[in-house]
Amino acid sequence: MTELLYQTDSYLQEFNATVTSVLPTERAIVLDRTAFYPGGGGQPCDFGTLTTESKTYAVEKVKKQGEDVLHFLSEDLPLPSVGTVTRGTLDWVRRYELMRTHTALHVLCGTIFRDYGAQVTGGDMQPLKGRLDFEFETMRGDLVREIEAAINNEVAQDREIRVKILPREEAFQIPDLIRTKINLLPEGILQVRTVEIVGLDLQADGGTHVHNTSEVGKIRVADYKSKGAINKRIYIELE
Ligand SMILES: [Zn+2]
């Protein structure tokens, strides 16, 4: 089982950890704790390095498997053995861009729900660009600039982002969370992590976010596409 350090401190760039198991065929190792985000909820995984006393490995992919986080290492070096102490270092430029992008997408989601009542059905992101799909029948081209102005106005409000880990029963009492389909969470999950953009948006979410919308910077609505009468896809880019 890997302790997920990024869940409570998204700004942690370096950490110490011990190798708890090795998967030679996959060239992956499990650590007792990690700051590497393993991907999920539309946010891609982190990259970076793991350094032991004698070697530095490139972390080329990170993936969650049950309660473990697998770190896939570059092929040039023999794998470390169980018990090895390592220092992990994130590719922070990439991760911070993903944090800004992820928060920007929540700003978009919260603003569109507030202004048009449209719900999100899916999304995806890369550093500094992303998209969300909405059930948004009334979306049309001349709303693009209006939406862009509204989301940049929210960013300019310097809204704080608060992350909490709540018991399942408590989370289920929050009306805003129920609208984001929290009831689809598997029964075995006893705790729910919530991400709140104070005054704008509240979601059950496992990703890494900035502390304040001021860190997001300027957002451009890059494009939108009709995926049928109801489903619309909105693309954003960050500067
Ligand atoms: Zn999210």
Side-chain angles (χ1 to χ4, degrees):
M1 182 181 166
T2 309
E3 186 190 347
L4 310 175
L5 302 171
Y6 59 84
Q7 283 209 327
T8 48
D9 183 2
S10 59
Y11 287 78
L12 189 64
Q13 301 177 38
E14 290 189 56
F15 63 100
N16 294 328
T18 303
V19 177
T20 55
S21 71
V22 179
L23 297 82
T25 36
E26 289 101 325
R27 282 202 60 84
I29 60 164
V30 178
L31 300 173
D32 61 343
R33 56 212 294 271
T34 192
F36 282 92
Y37 185 67
Q43 183 180 333
C45 75
D46 288 329
F47 301 140
T49 58
L50 282 175
T51 303
T52 64
E53 220 168 74
S54 56
K55 299 182 184 71
T56 295
Y57 300 88
V59 177
E60 297 183 333
K61 192 175 88 176
V62 188
K63 193 179 88 177
K64 194 121 185 273
Q65 190 169 80
E67 305 241 281
D68 294 334
V69 175
L70 306 189
H71 302 72
F72 294 81
L73 305 183
S74 53
E75 287 195 1
D76 46 335
L77 298 166
L79 291 172
S81 50
V82 170
T84 304
V85 174
T86 68
R87 179 128 186 107
T89 306
L90 303 192
D91 174 346
W92 181 248
V93 171
R94 171 185 163 83
R95 155 63 95 73
Y96 189 60
E97 286 178 354
L98 285 167
M99 283 162 58
R100 290 173 53 213
T101 307
H102 199 157
T103 301
L105 288 168
H106 283 215
V107 169
L108 179 67
C109 171
T111 304
I112 290 203
F113 182 76
R114 181 196 63 198
D115 295 352
Y116 309 98
Q119 297 219 24
V120 169
T121 58
D124 196 25
M125 78 192 81
Q126 288 299 320
L128 303 184
K129 60 181 180 184
R131 60 149 173 99
L132 286 179
D133 294 336
F134 293 92
E135 290 176 348
F136 193 176
E137 212 172 344
T138 57
M139 177 63 193
R140 48 183 208 278
D142 57 0
L143 290 183
V144 164
R145 296 284 83 86
E146 187 176 304
I147 291 167
E148 186 175 80
I151 58 179
N152 281 296
N153 182 50
E154 293 305 322
V155 167
Q157 302 298 312
D158 291 353
R159 292 190 187 278
E160 193 192 331
I161 288 100
R162 288 185 195 149
V163 175
K164 286 184 194 159
I165 296 171
L166 303 173
R168 183 188 180 94
E169 300 72 38
E170 199 177 318
F172 272 64
Q173 305 304 315
I174 303 172
D176 279 357
L177 286 184
I178 292 160
R179 103 175 141 74
T180 55
K181 301 185 172 124
I182 190 180
N183 49 326
L184 298 179
L185 285 178
E187 271 180 36
I189 293 178
L190 303 176
Q191 289 191 317
V192 180
R193 184 174 179 272
T194 63
V195 174
E196 178 181 20
I197 301 177
V198 176
L200 181 66
D201 187 65
L202 177 60
Q203 296 186 42
D205 192 275
T208 60
H209 290 263
V210 294
H211 281 330
N212 190 290
T213 56
S214 62
E215 294 177 58
V216 170
K218 190 150 172 30
I219 308 170
R220 199 166 72 83
V221 176
D223 199 5
Y224 101 95
K225 277 197 184 106
S226 214
K227 310 290 284 181
I230 293 171
N231 296 307
K232 313 291 155 128
R233 176 168 290 178
I234 298 178
Y235 297 85
I236 59 164
E237 288 178 5
L238 276 64
E239 278 182 0

